[in-house]
Amino acid sequence: MRRIATEEAFSIPEIAHALRKLCESRTGAQNIDMMLVRNIYGDGAGYQAQFLAPLLDIEDERLRDMDANGVDMQVLSLTAPGVQMFDADTATELARVANDRLAEVIARHPRRFAGLASFAPHSPQRAVREMERAVRELGLNGFIVNSHTNNEYLDDPKYWPVLEAAEALDRCIYIHPRGPSELLAGPMRDYGMFAALWAYGVEVSTHAVRLILSGVFDRFPRLKICLGHMGEAVHFWSWRLDFMSERAQRAGAPRLQLKPSEYLRRNFAITTSGQESPLALEFSIRQLGIDNVLWAIDYPYQPSASAVAFMDGVEVTDEQRHKLYHGNAEKLFHIAPLAQ
Ligand code: VNL
Ligand code: MN
């Protein structure tokens, strides 16, 4: 059984270095992303400092971990917050370097790695050029964006060129979490909620609902958005989103051609990164359809072994397991199927 893991994080020394500089230059900042960045890239005191080495390693320990756990391929993406905390010029340049590096690694291990391209949303025109280069010249498999950029979301018309490019290039945009935007962040500072425990899901689910309700999927009907962490629970709200959005439209919200639940089935795919609940998976398959659910680990933040054990063990048909483990990923990310 070919296993393709679809939300697997990496970084490069240039970006780790730039993030470390950011920690030093904004020491007083209470910004949640700075808490996150310090955790990994700061003075080594952060509780997540152990992730820095495995993020930077792609071809040694990572490949051994994949071999040991029967993971055939990782779809790599530049880890959060990506390039989005830097100024537009720095972000544009670092995205380009990260994409080049990614393409080089994939060229050396075409059966082991695929990759999602980064871009700097804060400079939409240059982002579009990088997206085109990433697909046409580098052959990358899709795009990654770490949710908001300077507290703005992709439904903002200034970002429509990015959505248009993704649709035209037929590559999905994977919306990965970062620390929540300013006004969502306040209540997330306590009890360890600020990142993967809770805040990440609030941030990305809010982003997804904004996209749906703004009507961008009527403008870009073939745009595909991928959400990790079992869809950040957005589809759990399908019925209520449908019901309440009708009410909101009657009260002046943008008119939508479809119901939110219909956009979720048509324009979204979700992955199981960092969510090993069989019940949540069963619900997701029934709500979104088996073709829209993909397996992921969230390496190195989550262990490969339990992610494999989870997907090996869930009670689905063989045909469904094939789709979850690789068939859907091959289609969504344009990965060549193995010769029969
Ligand atoms: C992620 C997941 C990041 C779990 C984390 O810390 C974490 C991620 C930065 O998916 O980016 O603990
Ligand atoms: Mn992740």
Side-chain angles (χ1 to χ4, degrees):
M1 173 76 72
R2 187 187 202 190
R3 297 190 184 91
I4 302 179
T6 54
E7 188 202 303
E8 315 312 324
F10 81 101
S11 192
I12 59 172
E14 291 88 338
I15 290 178
H17 177 79
L19 286 171
R20 193 183 168 86
K21 280 262 186 280
L22 215 58
C23 297
E24 288 161 5
S25 68
R26 296 197 208 157
T27 44
Q30 270 308 293
N31 180 302
I32 286 196
D33 274 305
M34 291 310 296
M35 294 166 69
L36 279 162
V37 164
R38 258 184 227 114
N39 257 322
I40 297 183
Y41 307 92
D43 283 327
Y47 76 100
Q48 301 209 98
Q50 83 272 15
F51 292 131
L52 182 55
L55 285 168
L56 293 172
D57 161 76
I58 302 183
E59 293 166 282
D60 293 320
E61 186 51 41
R62 183 184 303 253
L63 276 171
R64 281 193 287 281
D65 179 274
M66 291 166 66
D67 291 341
N69 291 289
V71 178
D72 294 275
M73 177 180 267
Q74 285 192 1
V75 180
L76 298 168
S77 48
L78 182 63
T79 198
V83 298
Q84 287 159 256
M85 288 180 75
F86 305 117
D87 65 81
D89 287 347
T90 308
T92 300
E93 172 59 16
L94 287 174
R96 198 184 58 73
V97 176
N99 294 340
D100 283 344
R101 209 64 55 76
L102 191 51
E104 287 161 23
V105 167
I106 294 167
R108 286 196 291 273
H109 309 274
R111 288 175 164 270
R112 308 310 304 276
F113 296 118
L116 306 183
S118 295
F119 57 89
H122 18 7
S123 189
Q125 294 310 327
R126 286 185 290 177
V128 166
R129 286 203 293 280
E130 182 60 14
M131 292 167 81
E132 290 170 348
R133 188 185 79 94
V135 172
R136 294 191 184 135
E137 291 174 35
L138 302 181
L140 295 178
N141 305 81
F143 306 106
I144 180 95
V145 70
N146 292 282
S147 204
H148 73 90
T149 306
N150 299 326
N151 306 304
E152 293 174 346
Y153 293 88
L154 293 176
D155 55 281
D156 187 315
K158 82 162 80 155
Y159 300 119
W160 287 356
V162 166
L163 304 182
E164 186 178 19
E167 186 191 46
L169 292 162
D170 187 26
R171 294 293 183 283
C172 81
I173 300 179
Y174 201 123
I175 304 183
H176 187 277
R178 60 178 283 196
S181 61
E182 228 161 75
L183 293 175
L184 290 177
M188 305 292 176
R189 291 183 213 289
D190 306 313
Y191 315 130
M193 291 162 69
F194 66 103
L197 195 160
W198 189 252
Y200 275 6
V202 173
E203 165 63 23
V204 175
S205 56
T206 302
H207 199 155
V209 171
R210 286 189 64 96
L211 287 174
I212 292 169
L213 298 183
S214 71
V216 293
F217 297 112
D218 292 336
R219 187 171 289 266
F220 307 112
R222 291 183 317 285
L223 174 63
K224 267 280 188 187
I225 300 291
C226 191
L227 304 175
H229 316 107
M230 209 65 88
E232 315 286 5
V234 179
H235 55 303
F236 189 87
W237 293 91
S238 291
W239 191 91
R240 195 158 166 81
L241 285 170
D242 289 354
F243 184 89
M244 289 297 172
S245 79
E246 274 213 28
R247 203 180 263 180
Q249 287 175 65
R250 283 198 300 275
R255 299 296 311 180
L256 301 176
Q257 289 172 10
L258 303 179
K259 294 178 182 175
S261 63
E262 294 172 327
Y263 295 114
L264 281 168
R265 292 180 76 102
R266 187 186 71 179
N267 295 98
F268 285 81
I270 73 167
T271 80
T272 63
S273 55
Q275 278 274 27
E276 296 169 10
S277 159
L279 192 55
L281 177 66
E282 186 184 328
F283 170 79
S284 299
I285 291 170
R286 290 182 63 177
Q287 180 67 47
L288 297 174
I290 182 65
D291 294 330
N292 290 321
V293 184
L294 289 69
W295 179 65
I297 302 168
D298 213 348
Y299 183 94
Y301 301 110
Q302 300 272 148
S304 307
S306 66
V308 170
F310 162 61
M311 194 51 74
D312 281 356
V314 290
E315 289 177 29
V316 293
T317 66
D318 269 5
E319 190 194 346
Q320 288 180 318
R321 206 183 315 276
H322 275 270
K323 288 187 170 188
L324 294 162
Y325 254 144
H326 62 89
N328 294 339
E330 288 163 357
K331 284 208 186 87
L332 185 63
F333 297 119
H334 300 257
I335 295 166
L338 296 179
Q340 292 301 309

